[in-house]
Amino acid sequence: MSGGHGVSSPPDSAVAPLGQEQGVGWLHTMLLIRRFEERAEQLTMRGKVPGGVHPAVGQEATAVGFAAALAPGDTVSAPHRGHHHALAKGVSPDGLMAELYGKATGVSRGRGGSMHLAGFDVGFIGSNGIVGASAGLALGDAFAAHYRGQQRVAVAFFGDGGINTGRTWEALNLAGAWRLPLVAVCENNLYAVETPTAAVTGGGSMTRRAEGFGLTALAVDGQDVFAVHEAAVAARARALAGDGPTFIESQTYRYSGHGSGEGVGAYRNLEEVDSWKQARDPITRCAERLSELGLLAEGELDDIDTEAREIVEAAVRFAEESPWPAPL
């Protein structure tokens, strides 16, 4: 599976065996992420969350589709926009919200904030604010797995802004040369902060660039959790078989601005944003597909949404009631 000249879509047979519990679980996690991100941005604007957040509203399918393909021993590293990766990998909503507040019960004990998250108990080895650094973290863990003879993989998520940084390709070059069990996932939401990615990416194709480093590379519809999951399963199997790393360009979109409070129309027209929301929303598409497969009952989506909102509000109460860290 190589070449970045089109976006892969799974055949019906790829999703037909999907069980109700698994499919509805994907939907639940995507809704949990959406409501968490929306609430976090609200709280930031009200002064509750210091330092701001980088919402991933609209990008839920990439995180969830991948996380569902991973085993407990597999690891994930993430960039500054990493709440959705953390929640998809199993980080507690309570601990994550408390971290945003800077409370002692947060996943980084209140000292990391939105961009510096960790959940080592569930294989989330960290997010950070250095563009492209997640590839280096995953490289190190993939090397550790290879060196120790462990059957597991490391997944690096990074944004399209990271595609033009040297540290990203230094890491992927070594992963390819040493055939390490690494999966590199570029979440291409079309804009690096406010710069259109296509305008600053030489050669016009991320996947062709990755192929030049000897990586198997493909593009996938990042708004389709089924397509993402299929690509993730194949990439993980390839890594465990000793066939080396895979580069995946997940073509997605963020509905919010780059950071909390940024107007969505500052550098892109509202018609573009509305088009993605109306035609390619990952939650709507997942719900429609599950309904077609007979795995989602009428009215069940509203129930799942209600439960997700309740979990988020419980996380807010937990954060509000938690103590501040002791001074160092």
Side-chain angles (χ1 to χ4, degrees):
M1 298 175 68
S2 64
H5 311 294
V7 179
S8 65
S9 298
D12 291 341
S13 60
V15 297
L18 184 71
Q20 182 175 19
E21 182 177 353
Q22 182 185 26
V24 173
W26 293 355
L27 189 60
H28 185 285
T29 306
M30 285 198 288
L31 273 165
L32 173 62
I33 291 169
R34 169 95 32 115
R35 301 313 175 204
F36 187 99
E37 293 283 68
E38 291 172 342
R39 194 73 169 99
E41 186 165 18
Q42 291 173 357
L43 292 165
T44 301
M45 301 307 295
R46 295 174 186 173
K48 295 286 189 178
V49 174
V53 296
H54 297 88
V57 177
Q59 299 184 200
E60 299 87 358
T62 300
V64 173
F66 257 90
L70 301 179
D74 297 333
T75 62
V76 165
S77 62
H80 59 279
R81 194 184 312 280
H83 301 164
H84 55 319
H85 306 123
L87 290 169
K89 194 63 172 72
V91 170
S92 160
D94 288 359
L96 181 51
M97 187 65 77
E99 187 60 38
L100 300 189
Y101 269 68
K103 296 298 185 73
T105 54
V107 295
S108 299
R109 300 181 182 178
R111 304 191 187 278
S114 172
M115 292 191 289
H116 305 97
L117 309 172
F120 297 109
D121 57 327
V122 294
F124 186 73
I125 60 175
S127 61
N128 69 89
I130 301 173
V131 176
S134 54
L137 293 176
L139 170 73
D141 193 54
F143 177 79
H146 172 74
Y147 184 79
R148 295 168 178 164
Q150 298 170 333
Q151 279 290 99
R152 62 183 185 84
V153 304
V155 180
F157 288 100
F158 49 88
D160 45 282
I163 206 71
N164 292 322
T165 62
R167 65 177 61 88
T168 299
W169 294 106
E170 288 173 2
L172 299 187
N173 174 65
L174 284 179
W178 296 341
R179 302 183 70 80
L180 298 180
L182 181 142
V183 181
V185 185
C186 178
E187 288 182 284
N188 182 6
N189 61 25
L190 306 185
Y191 296 92
V193 188
E194 298 177 356
T195 302
T197 304
V200 294
T201 303
S205 173
M206 299 179 186
T207 52
R208 284 202 301 269
R209 186 181 296 182
E211 288 171 347
F213 284 84
L215 279 66
T216 297
L218 68 149
V220 66
D221 183 351
Q223 305 302 86
D224 183 346
V225 69
F226 298 93
V228 171
H229 184 255
E230 182 187 41
V233 168
R236 182 177 187 273
R238 187 178 301 114
L240 292 180
D243 294 332
T246 299
F247 177 93
I248 297 175
E249 176 194 355
S250 183
Q251 298 174 351
T252 185
Y253 197 79
R254 55 173 164 83
Y255 299 161
S256 301
H258 170 69
S260 49
E262 181 188 82
V264 297
Y267 50 91
R268 49 184 176 168
N269 62 62
L270 296 179
E271 289 78 10
E272 176 186 293
V273 180
D274 289 340
S275 174
W276 279 82
K277 286 182 177 180
Q278 298 301 320
R280 300 186 65 184
D281 182 77
I283 293 173
T284 300
R285 292 176 69 182
C286 179
E288 290 175 348
R289 190 64 174 273
L290 292 174
S291 296
E292 292 171 0
L293 294 170
L295 300 177
L296 187 69
E298 185 176 352
E300 191 173 1
L301 178 62
D302 291 336
D303 294 340
I304 296 171
D305 191 20
T306 297
E307 183 179 354
R309 292 176 186 272
E310 290 173 349
I311 292 171
V312 171
E313 290 310 307
V316 174
R317 290 193 297 272
F318 177 80
E320 294 273 3
E321 296 168 1
S322 293
W324 295 103
L328 293 174

